[in-house]
Amino acid sequence: MLTVKAYAATSATEPLAPTTIERRDLGPHDVLIDIRYSGICHSDIHTARSEWGPTTYPIVVGHEIAGVVREVGPEVTKFTAGDRVGVGCMVDSCRECDNCRKGLEQYCLNGNIGTYGGFDRDGQPTQGGYAQAIVVTEDFVLRIPDGIELDAAAPLLCAGITTYSPLRHWNAGPGSRVAVIGMGGLGHMAVKLAHAMGAEVTVLSQSLKKREDGLRLGADHYHATSDEETFTKLAGSFDLIINTVSAKIDLDAYLRLLAVDGTLVNVGAPEDPLSVHAFSLIPARRSFAGSMIGGIAETQEMLDFCAERGIGAEIEVIPAEKINQAYERVLASDVRYRFVIDASTF
Ligand code: NAP
Ligand code: ZN
Ligand code: ZN
């Protein structure tokens, strides 16, 4: 066993604090990764604060992991020491069900094994990326291409793939009109990726405070949802809307912005249930959908796509001691646009 420094949540209300955790000995197919950077996803906050149901404490969250391979097990074929690698939201799945066979491990019928808050094959609780190192089976380790710096790559492992997957699934591209609700960690990646895919991109943010940034990142249009005119002006004008908001919003108002056959995909995962009026969907054959991260092959495809186009996340690198402050800033929508923890400071 390897003892590593980490930051853990010990209850829903206490600040995260330094601790140590054990990583398992290397199995034949395992990869030991020295973590260099770990992104702060809003899901970490929902989990640390038991907003999605009771969390088992202590928990080390973090599922946007970028680092370098230190050592590999004897039967590992895909990686060697020194490789630049990443780990996202899953560390394993059953690999046998219909969904796993299709490369949709995130929808494993037996439940994928979360990077934190799950139970690994050895029965031990999984602990995530706010730590110096992690051991992961090679099939759930991603290769980070040379074209992306490790700090800017970390958020791609969750924020990147969570927006790339629905953009691809619902065919964002030339001629399609895509709107992104909320320009935080996921939202700013959705803007960059949809723009890179050739779509016409609109940001729907609470205010115009981040307008300059949105346009610089690739948005063609930027509107404040605090302005009621936004909802009349843009009625019926989008083919695809990606909702990245971490809180409950008035979905009916946004559904009316969809054109005929348009789809609103919810990736935001608020604590409280969302409601939809049937008459927001019926008059224009609209769809309301959800999407969760992406499969392993698709995550690699996304990383390669980003490297070819020079896309990384917009980040603010912080030392571990600033995690709790960063949480407060994320909650205040004051993130530009992803906090990334320097793992040398754990
Ligand atoms: P984030 O950085 O906090 O971004 C959320 C953005 O939503 C904020 O920056 C803000 O943008 C907007 N917003 C926040 N509160 C709002 C409110 N009350 N009303 C309207 N807009 C509001 O969070 P994130 O890390 O991108 O994660 C977003 C959500 O996606 C979280 O719920 C997270 O758990 C979930 N998630 C889901 C998946 C998945 O697989 N489906 C994966 C990762 C994360 P503006 O300031 O521009 O309005
Ligand atoms: Zn996440
Ligand atoms: Zn499965």
Side-chain angles (χ1 to χ4, degrees):
M1 300 268 257
L2 181 67
T3 303
V4 300
K5 289 189 193 167
Y7 257 63
T10 51
S11 81
T13 50
E14 294 295 305
L16 275 64
T19 187
T20 57
I21 53 170
E22 305 291 329
R23 296 302 193 188
R24 65 170 180 262
D25 290 329
L26 277 189
H29 292 284
D30 281 341
V31 178
L32 169 59
I33 301 164
D34 281 323
I35 298 175
R36 295 282 166 79
Y37 297 99
S38 206
I40 294 181
C41 176
H42 205 120
S43 302
D44 300 346
I45 304 177
H46 290 305
T47 304
R49 301 190 173 190
S50 283
E51 289 173 358
W52 290 338
T55 294
T56 305
Y57 299 98
I59 188 165
V60 174
V61 294
H63 56 207
E64 294 186 334
I65 299 167
V68 175
V69 174
R70 189 200 301 183
E71 202 182 328
V72 298
E75 284 167 44
V76 168
T77 56
K78 296 179 183 161
F79 300 99
T80 54
D83 286 353
R84 303 164 85 245
V85 293
V87 178
C89 303
M90 307 178 276
V91 289
D92 213 335
S93 70
C94 86
R95 307 178 189 210
E96 285 167 1
C97 72
D98 284 352
N99 293 347
C100 283
R101 283 178 201 274
K102 287 183 201 147
L104 297 169
E105 298 90 351
Q106 74 274 36
Y107 304 124
C108 174
L109 293 170
N110 295 301
N112 73 62
I113 300 178
T115 303
Y116 57 77
F119 288 92
D120 221 324
R121 283 173 185 249
D122 59 5
Q124 294 304 308
T126 54
Q127 300 286 4
Y130 295 6
Q132 291 174 313
I134 191 167
V135 174
V136 178
T137 186
E138 64 173 328
D139 289 340
F140 283 72
V141 177
L142 286 308
R143 186 170 293 282
I144 296 179
D146 286 336
I148 324 175
E149 297 297 328
L150 287 181
D151 51 3
L156 301 180
L157 276 304
C158 176
I161 185 59
T162 300
T163 48
Y164 180 91
S165 184
L167 287 169
R168 278 281 187 241
H169 183 79
W170 278 278
N171 301 314
S176 65
R177 299 159 298 173
V178 175
V180 177
I181 314 176
M183 205 172 80
L186 267 56
H188 94 288
M189 285 311 308
V191 170
K192 287 189 173 204
L193 293 168
H195 173 69
M197 290 173 191
E200 181 180 344
V201 184
T202 299
V203 176
L204 302 172
S205 180
Q206 293 167 96
S207 72
L208 294 179
K209 274 190 270 183
K210 298 180 268 189
R211 184 171 176 276
E212 294 307 308
D213 288 346
L215 299 180
R216 176 173 57 82
L217 301 184
D220 301 284
H221 317 281
Y222 200 106
H223 298 276
T225 52
S226 52
D227 179 355
E228 289 209 353
E229 242 189 65
T230 294
F231 291 93
T232 44
K233 223 165 36 189
L234 301 177
S237 63
F238 300 110
D239 303 302
L240 179 63
I241 300 178
I242 310 275
N243 175 23
T244 74
V245 177
S246 48
K248 186 175 176 175
I249 57 169
D250 177 6
L251 280 182
D252 295 305
Y254 290 92
L255 285 166
R256 288 193 287 270
L257 305 186
L258 287 172
V260 171
D261 286 334
T263 303
L264 188 152
V265 186
N266 223 86
V267 291
E271 180 175 2
D272 297 319
L274 296 165
S275 72
V276 174
H277 202 296
F279 283 98
S280 303
L281 300 170
I282 290 169
R285 201 162 58 191
R286 299 177 176 121
S287 302
F288 176 54
S291 182
M292 191 168 75
I293 46 173
I296 293 298
E298 191 177 35
T299 305
Q300 190 61 60
E301 177 190 305
M302 176 275 309
L303 287 167
D304 296 342
F305 176 93
C306 287
E308 278 161 28
R309 290 160 182 80
I311 295 174
E314 304 290 301
I315 53 164
E316 185 171 336
V317 178
I318 57 162
E321 65 187 23
K322 293 229 169 108
I323 291 173
N324 295 299
Q325 265 170 272
Y327 274 25
E328 293 310 319
R329 282 186 53 196
V330 171
L331 291 170
S333 299
D334 180 27
V335 52
R336 303 264 189 303
Y337 285 87
R338 201 55 141 184
F339 289 107
V340 171
I341 309 158
D342 175 348
S344 69
T345 62
F346 279 122

